Amino acid sequence: MTTSSSERGVGLGMPELPPPAYPDDVRARLEADAREVIARYPDSRSALLPLLHLVQSEDGHVTRTGMKFCADVLELTTAEVTAVATFYSMYRRRPSGDYQVGVCTNTLCAVMGGDAIFETLQEHLGVGNGETTGDGKVTLEHIECNAACDYAPVVMVNWEFFDNQTPASATRLVDDLRADRPVEPTRGARLCTFKETARILAGFPDERPGAVEEGGSAGPASLVGLRLARGEAHPARVVHPRDAAPPEESAVHEPSPAERLSSHDPVETSASDPSHPSGPTAEEGE
């Protein structure tokens, strides 16, 4: 028994029509922004990544119209642009929410509770991976790694960190986002919408007063290895309880020369000290 192409889900109709163009005023504005971005690079095609962020800041995701615009201003084919836009997960291919909530489900975050957080949020929001709530506020997705293993499990909202989360705290977080209540990341600047974030990633200034100064830096848990390498003392607990305020930073111990453990500190060896018990290092063949 044979099946028809329609039964097999194979479309044999007309090719997809070209995407609609941006309205004239929108295109003029985007072209001005694109010229500013392209001028930063010796080779115009190197501007493709920020330009994809630019069109994403316009539409909330990378549309066919946006990819055609990038191809036009960079003199590329739409196939070349599509290959890049589909390779990187930071470019959304379908409409998404004002807040991209990414739950790390990679190994460390998963065993520390990331899987439980993701399952709880799916049930609480009534959406699956990559889906958006009906009010258009939150898009939920699992992320392979948020590069913050020392604060596992970690949730990111529009690329800002929310460290040491639990299913309960993550549920409160998405509820606050949907209710437009103020939300402050654990580290980094205050939240803005996904479109605003995309424009900043395109390379344009963050125009919110004080936002740049709020940029986060490495926290105590991230720096403990460096302090140990330097022979510095550190608090017994470097990660504060998830539902409590962080403790006061302890005084930094200034190590004596004998305590310095960094591999960058000079250490006398037989090669540098002729009086060393081993004697000076001999050249090969001597």
Side-chain angles (χ1 to χ4, degrees):
M1 179 179 177
T2 61
T3 57
S4 66
S5 60
S6 60
E7 290 173 324
R8 294 194 303 269
V10 178
L12 300 177
M14 294 294 292
E16 191 173 27
L17 295 175
Y22 282 120
D24 291 342
D25 60 329
V26 174
R27 185 176 179 93
R29 173 166 47 79
L30 290 176
E31 285 180 345
D33 288 340
R35 285 193 295 270
E36 182 177 340
V37 172
I38 293 170
R40 302 170 188 160
Y41 299 90
D43 185 343
S44 63
R45 70 182 297 142
S46 299
L48 178 54
L49 294 180
L51 287 188
L52 286 169
H53 282 299
L54 176 64
V55 296
Q56 187 160 251
S57 74
E58 182 67 31
D59 301 310
H61 66 293
V62 177
T63 63
R64 293 175 60 233
T65 299
M67 288 190 286
K68 179 66 165 58
F69 170 82
C70 292
D72 290 345
V73 297
L74 295 176
E75 298 182 351
L76 300 173
T77 66
T78 53
E80 289 174 307
V81 175
T82 301
V84 174
T86 56
F87 181 82
Y88 293 103
S89 61
M90 60 190 174
Y91 301 121
R92 312 305 186 195
R93 297 300 311 283
R94 57 184 178 181
S96 54
D98 293 333
Y99 300 100
Q100 304 281 322
V101 176
V103 181
C104 183
T105 55
N106 212 336
T107 306
L108 183 57
C109 278
V111 300
M112 294 292 287
D115 284 343
I117 291 172
F118 188 65
E119 292 171 4
T120 298
L121 291 184
Q122 285 189 102
E123 182 177 352
H124 181 70
L125 296 173
V127 297
N129 182 43
E131 295 180 352
T132 303
T133 55
D135 56 9
K137 290 286 187 179
V138 171
T139 297
L140 179 67
E141 63 177 349
H142 75 80
I143 296 178
E144 287 302 320
C145 183
N146 280 329
C149 303
D150 38 4
Y151 290 99
V154 176
V155 173
M156 293 194 86
V157 180
N158 294 350
W159 312 121
E160 299 293 350
F161 287 104
F162 290 81
D163 303 318
N164 305 121
Q165 292 294 294
T166 66
S169 66
T171 299
R172 290 194 301 270
L173 171 61
V174 296
D175 285 347
D176 288 342
L177 292 173
R178 299 183 72 185
D180 294 322
R181 289 190 286 266
V183 170
E184 293 187 7
T186 310
R187 293 171 284 148
R190 76 197 86 139
L191 288 182
C192 56
T193 67
F194 183 64
K195 287 185 177 181
E196 292 169 328
T197 301
R199 183 169 177 83
I200 295 170
L201 291 174
F204 293 94
D206 188 340
E207 298 178 350
R208 297 172 297 160
V212 175
E213 290 74 15
E214 295 170 354
S217 60
S222 304
L223 299 176
V224 65
L226 176 62
R227 290 182 173 180
L228 287 172
R230 289 176 173 172
E232 298 173 2
H234 63 89
R237 184 182 183 91
V238 296
V239 179
H240 62 82
R242 299 176 187 175
D243 295 322
E248 293 294 328
E249 185 74 13
S250 63
V252 175
H253 168 65
E254 183 62 30
S256 66
E259 294 175 312
R260 296 187 180 277
L261 303 177
S262 172
S263 60
H264 298 287
D265 291 323
V267 178
E268 289 192 351
T269 67
S270 59
S272 61
D273 182 8
S275 64
H276 193 280
S278 303
T281 301
E283 295 294 333
E284 184 177 354
E286 293 185 356

